[in-house]
Amino acid sequence: MNGGDEFGASGDLPPPLDWRFSQVFGERSAGEEVQEAGVSSAVDIISAIEFDKSGDHLATGDRGGRVVLFERTDSKNATGARRDLEGTDYPLRHPEFRYKTEFQSHEPEFDYLKSLEIEEKINKIRWSQTANGALFLLSTNDKTIKFWKVQDKKIKKICDINTDSSRLIGNGSVASSSNSNSTNTCLANGGLPDNSLSNDFSLQPGGIPLLRLPAVTTSHETSPVARCRRVYTHAHDYHINSISNNSDGETFISADDLRINLWNLEISNQSFNIVDVKPANMEDLTEVITSAEFHPTHCNTLAYSSSKGSIRLIDLRQSALCDSHSKLFEDTETPSSRSFFTEIIASISDIKFAKQGRYILSRDYMTLKLWDINMDSGPVSTFQVHEYLRPKLCDLYENDSIFDKFECCLSGDGLRVATGSYSNLFRVFGVTPGNTETTTLEASKNPMRRQVTTPSRPSRSLSSITRVVRREGGSPGTDGNGNTFDHTTKLLHLAWHPTENSIACAAANSLYMYYA
């Protein structure tokens, strides 16, 4: 179960990364940001981001139920591997993506039995294995999961139209239609030339000497087409917060607040409940499931987090219903530091396995924590994300910001982790023992504009199992570096390229991409 040691020993530390702006999609002007900053129901706000395993495709989902796909363009023109090009004298181009296609994944629904509106917002997107040049992905809203196939289809055109658009007279009447073989007009999707026919279309005396039926031909041009292959529904009573593909390529899990279900990709009308934390009496409910993910290489292992700040590792080989866990990871709080907000900020909003599966990264409201699955005594490392907010927890509780669910991600080599914060900021930490790299970037075309000069990192002893509390100075409306703090602009969603140091992050409806 070790899966390799991504982080290795503390020998040679990797140099700090120099992050640079790469691209932005859907950037709005400053006036629009001010106008719509408080509109939480804007349908174009991005709610999910995910790279595929190759890193050549990126998918985003938004609150309007749409899925937008981007494809990489610079890798197609490369003559060798990126690692090989780095050793040459030629300048290396940064990753570039372009818009590929989009489709409406989910529509708003209404549950008449429960009198409940089901919004179309995309909660999660997960890529599945490719086959025959087609892309496959799972997308989910609160209740329904869909399996999509996206494939380039050749465009069909209509040829040998009986009218000759090159010989028109007057207001569009056909001057001569004899021997229209001279022009072999091909029109996509059965369309006609705009100027070929008019409402007062008239024929010459004697009519058309030769009537030919149009022919449908397939051109060499292609266009991506999305088709829904499966719909997985009626399996969750509560809102779905996670979906995760299994390494076997055949199954996946979906998790809501109280249950985790196991599905087969080919079977949409049946699932198996493998975790159920619902008590007999709902008044006895003390914690809920917040995130779940399969191990990247072991098809029998998965982990799920809870609102109490714990992570449970379960083995599907132990029993059909995994009520008992094989390992429990939790970070105990010292009694002296407990407060009214302790349990709220301890809730884990996201977990991610490292590439080889040896480590688990978790994000709670205040910190990032790195766990070794072979050591359940406490986290290997704890990273303070926005410790300057601790004196403001009461205000954040009153405006419900304390319940924001930030995601986290790891680099493909496992040497760094990243997560978002407020004021459209995100932070990157080095995880190698002895590495003090801490970078704060803003989701804008100038990411280093608000660089934090003094890193706020706790001691990172392997035996430390307590969260280090560090209070940073600053006025109530500023962060630790004197910058204005804005809880209405939050960077919740981001993803790290699987093989390169490239990050995609969402700030409202804008998708920003950075490279190092």
Side-chain angles (χ1 to χ4, degrees), residues 162-183 185 193 195-197 201-202 204 209:
N162 207 65
T163 60
D164 186 357
S165 60
S166 64
R167 305 178 65 183
L168 300 176
I169 63 173
N171 56 5
S173 300
V174 179
S176 173
S177 59
S178 62
N179 297 328
S180 60
N181 291 331
S182 59
T183 59
T185 306
N195 60 348
S196 62
L197 298 175
F201 174 78
S202 60
Q204 279 189 330

Side-chain angles (χ1 to χ4, degrees), residues 185-198:
T185 306
C186 292
L187 301 170
N189 300 325
L192 289 174
D194 295 336
N195 60 348
S196 62
L197 298 175
S198 64

Side-chain angles (χ1 to χ4, degrees), residues 400-428:
D400 287 341
S401 294
I402 200 171
F403 302 105
D404 288 335
K405 300 184 183 302
F406 293 92
E407 295 180 358
C408 58
C409 59
L410 300 96
S411 61
D413 56 14
L415 299 179
R416 293 171 180 86
V417 296
T419 190
S421 181
Y422 293 102
S423 303
N424 282 344
L425 300 178
F426 64 99
R427 308 198 72 185
V428 180

Side-chain angles (χ1 to χ4, degrees), residues 252-272:
F252 71 95
I253 56 171
S254 60
D256 63 22
D257 292 340
L258 299 180
R259 293 186 176 93
I260 299 178
N261 294 331
L262 178 68
W263 300 82
N264 188 296
L265 284 170
E266 300 298 325
I267 303 174
S268 60
N269 60 357
Q270 185 181 32
S271 65
F272 297 93

Side-chain angles (χ1 to χ4, degrees), residues 342-373:
T342 298
E343 291 190 2
I344 299 177
I345 64 176
S347 176
I348 296 176
S349 57
D350 189 28
I351 60 172
K352 292 286 194 309
F353 272 100
K355 189 174 183 180
Q356 302 300 325
R358 168 71 182 274
Y359 295 89
I360 299 175
L361 180 67
S362 68
R363 170 69 201 265
D364 57 40
Y365 187 70
M366 299 295 290
T367 64
L368 270 177
K369 292 176 182 175
L370 190 67
W371 307 80
D372 187 338
I373 64 173

